[in-house]
Amino acid sequence: MGTDQDSGEFVREALGVAERITADGSSPWPVEAGRYRLVGARACPWANRVIITRRLLGLEDAISMGIAGPLHDERSWRFHLDPGNVDPVLGIEYLREAYEKAVPGYDEGVTVPAMVEVASGKVVTNEYALLERDLSTQWRGLHRDGAPDLWTDPEAIDEIGKGIFHDVNNGVYKCGFASSQRAYDRAYDALWSRMDELSEHLSTRRYLVGDSITQADIRLWVTLVRFDAAYHGHFKANRHKLTELPVLWAYARDLFQTPGFGDTIDFEQVKQHYYGVHASVNPTGIVPKGPDTAGWTTAHGREELGGRPFGDGTPPGPPPESERVPAVG
């Protein structure tokens, strides 16, 4: 992450290892069950997008998952929740080690999600947007029976996804890391203009594109679910709390209660990361006790809008025991 010195605007770093894993031989990395390990973090929305996609498609047996803890330092994400502070499969303490195996002398950002080849310990890709698309397309042969189609209308999904990325997903970061009032004001206005637009869009339809969950919903939801816990206060995105926005709050609860979404969220790790790592924003490192999360399991009423969450598919089963998160409330 960085800030433009002239404008004070937040600038997201380029992704450092943007290879692809394909089934058609178009890359050096073939689709193969058990070959790769997805490294994510419960705190990170970008990783959460891929974690949800993997859950919905039923790829848990084909792609194992390691979870970096919420706290890290300049050396990168660290496996401090695992015994001995070491990922049990990759045998590393810091994710940077896998990046350096792939690119000796690596000096770009160390981010999650990252797909790592288990045998070599090398990061194959940290390109989250392409990875989530490839999980739906290149990995189709390993999907569970009943896996949903998350790309029912790729053009519409990408079109609405652009605005979500720039103004919402990245927009909250632009608010939080702005170093000038002008940059903050511009990001804040763009965020809330887009949130109002999305609220209007969702007031008469259950999902963003079509009548079932698509990748567009995953992209928006990972920011909404963290909004009150982190972005409203920590990033000064504070016109309203999510709980004060009737349409988006109901939409977010609907998805939270859908298998594959809420069962990937650990609110404590979200707060520990944002308030504990961003010293420039929260120099004391104090982590707030709130907000109350009990509301996430209350009735949302979105069923009245119709729609079929998984289209012609079926819900995923429960997450593996090792991947379960604490219940809310």
Side-chain angles (χ1 to χ4, degrees), residues 49-308:
R49 288 166 48 160
V50 178
I51 290 171
I52 292 169
T53 303
R54 170 180 171 270
R55 277 276 292 126
L56 296 181
L57 299 177
L59 287 168
E60 292 99 327
D61 290 339
I63 305 169
S64 69
M65 183 168 71
I67 294 293
L71 301 177
H72 61 70
D73 55 28
E74 69 281 355
R75 287 170 290 183
S76 79
W77 292 92
R78 181 172 177 248
F79 296 97
H80 64 86
L81 300 180
D82 288 307
N85 301 322
V86 171
D87 179 89
V89 172
L90 300 176
I92 57 176
E93 180 176 2
Y94 287 93
L95 182 55
R96 174 173 290 281
E97 297 173 53
Y99 277 83
E100 290 176 340
K101 285 182 180 178
V103 183
Y106 183 82
D107 61 359
E108 304 290 340
V110 175
T111 62
V112 289
M115 194 78 94
V116 181
E117 185 185 39
V118 174
S120 67
K122 297 178 179 179
V123 168
V124 174
T125 182
N126 67 342
E127 219 294 2
Y128 54 88
L130 194 55
L131 179 55
E132 66 191 16
R133 186 185 292 265
D134 284 345
L135 289 181
S136 283
T137 55
Q138 301 297 319
W139 289 80
R140 190 181 302 275
L142 293 170
H143 288 183
R144 67 177 175 87
D145 291 339
D149 180 2
L150 301 175
W151 292 91
T152 53
D153 187 341
E155 186 174 345
I157 292 168
D158 283 340
E159 181 59 32
I160 200 168
K162 289 176 185 176
I164 291 171
F165 170 78
H166 289 294
D167 299 332
V168 181
N169 300 146
N170 208 35
V172 292
Y173 284 81
K174 292 177 185 177
C175 289
F177 290 110
S179 62
S180 74
Q181 189 69 48
R182 182 180 179 185
Y184 166 75
D185 290 348
R186 183 159 50 251
Y188 180 99
D189 291 345
L191 165 67
W192 285 106
S193 176
R194 186 69 64 182
M195 291 280 274
D196 288 342
E197 178 184 297
L198 291 165
S199 181
E200 177 66 23
H201 181 81
L202 288 164
S203 64
T204 57
R205 66 195 80 196
R206 192 170 179 186
Y207 304 112
L208 287 169
V209 178
D211 67 351
S212 63
I213 292 165
T214 68
Q215 207 73 44
D217 297 294
I218 298 172
R219 292 176 180 182
L220 174 59
W221 187 80
V222 295
T223 296
L224 295 183
V225 76
R226 290 165 173 78
F227 202 88
D228 287 3
Y231 306 141
H232 176 271
H234 183 60
F235 278 174
K236 308 180 188 71
N238 59 358
R239 194 189 79 181
H240 291 97
K241 296 176 182 176
L242 178 67
T243 54
E244 297 167 346
L245 302 169
V247 172
L248 292 179
W249 173 223
Y251 167 80
R253 298 201 315 277
D254 185 5
L255 289 176
F256 186 90
Q257 295 168 33
T258 299
F261 284 82
D263 55 29
T264 69
I265 297 299
D266 186 319
F267 284 110
E268 286 305 310
Q269 289 194 37
V270 169
K271 292 187 295 182
Q272 289 166 5
H273 172 71
Y274 282 97
Y275 288 93
V277 169
H278 300 151
S280 64
V281 180
N282 185 41
T284 65
I286 294 173
V287 178
K289 296 182 71 173
D292 184 358
T293 60
W296 282 100
T297 59
T298 60
H300 51 75
R302 297 281 292 179
E303 304 95 333
E304 297 176 3
L305 295 173
R308 300 175 300 151

